[in-house]
Amino acid sequence: MEETIAIGLDVGGTTIKAGLVRRDGTLIRHAAFDTRAAQGPDAVIERIAEAIRSLLDGGEPVASIGLGVPGVVNNRGEISYPPNFPGWGVVNVAERLRPHLPAQLPIVVENDANVAAYAEARAGTGSSDQDFLFITLGTGVGGCIISGGNIWRGATGGAGEVGHVSIDINGPLCNCGARGCIEAYIGHRYMATEAARRLERDPDSLLHAMIAAGKELDPKLVDEAAVAGDMFAREFLAEMGTLLGAALASMVNMTDMHLVIVGGGLSHAEKYLLGPARRSLQLRAIKSISLDVELRVARFSNDAGMIGAGLLSLVLTGTV
Ligand SMILES: [Zn+2]
């Protein structure tokens, strides 16, 4: 039997990642393209089409195309005012792509965090679990609820916004306009700003030397310092992890999920961020959940969006 292949794309504000995805979640090949978001929606749609055509040129039997895009994808397949995409209002990406691509190829569009979660559900850390909560730690904090092996979209496609679970109504102001959202603590930008503020009071931290050597103060650098033994960094990450665990506890209590999978750029910060997050989650979850609730690191990192989008398109179009 001929192998079933999809094209999966992860459309980001600066880069479009595109790959040929096998049904087991492995990539045959992939490439990255500049999004050129500043040039507006028509230019971005043309770039996406170029990326797809470059993969079709290899002649592999592609059955479907899946795209992970920023922002909520509503039930009509439209995205509204995606962040970091100037000039975009309400856009139906699949409809706009259609004239640029071979007519017979089905196109599926879904939120980027949702497709990353789907990659874990079909071929990753959650492939033997039907129900879990997914959270992705990056500039923003995204999330998804996987229920019965599928993305739980809610009424209009916006479910799973873990990043905007508030842990303090008087807390720091979040990008969304509310206060105390977990994103306003552990989103990369917020975390870097807070670390910089506190570092001023801690002249002994190793981070000062790392920054003086030209490194940028971001959460990954804080984790590097923690691994190297820096107490400031360890305590800072432990505090952030504890807050993350509190937000996750609210989410698992609400949804009766017994598994949380963490993806994104910080998911490698296993010991000093996720360890405290795990303990905090176990401490705060209600008894029936805390006895066996697990927090695991995602299998896929940078490739998650491509792989999940490709797999989702194969499933939704009935190819697998
Ligand atoms: Zn928020």
Side-chain angles (χ1 to χ4, degrees), residues 43-115:
V44 174
I45 294 287
E46 180 50 42
R47 292 294 281 167
I48 295 171
E50 268 175 45
I52 293 169
R53 285 193 299 260
S54 77
L55 289 171
L56 287 171
D57 282 348
E60 284 93 349
V62 171
S64 59
I65 298 168
L67 292 95
V69 296
V72 173
V73 178
N74 70 17
N75 294 334
R76 292 186 298 279
E78 298 160 340
I79 50 174
S80 302
Y81 302 93
N84 306 317
F85 283 76
W88 288 54
V90 178
V91 176
N92 188 315
V93 176
E95 262 174 27
R96 297 278 287 272
L97 272 173
R98 180 52 59 216
H100 298 272
L101 297 174
Q104 79 282 6
L105 278 177
I107 305 170
V108 169
V109 180
E110 180 54 278
N111 167 264
D112 49 11
N114 286 359
V115 296

Side-chain angles (χ1 to χ4, degrees), residues 158-216:
E161 286 288 353
V162 188
H164 303 286
V165 171
S166 176
I167 53 170
D168 181 359
I169 59 168
N170 299 311
L173 190 61
C174 177
N175 218 7
C176 75
R179 285 194 177 273
C181 297
I182 191 61
E183 180 170 309
Y185 296 90
I186 61 160
H188 280 19
R189 237 186 346 254
Y190 293 100
M191 212 202 276
T193 307
E194 183 62 11
R197 195 179 68 80
R198 294 191 194 184
L199 257 182
E200 288 175 18
R201 300 196 303 262
D202 200 320
D204 298 331
S205 171
L206 179 64
L207 278 162
H208 289 289
M210 294 168 106
I211 295 162
K215 292 193 173 168
E216 190 189 342

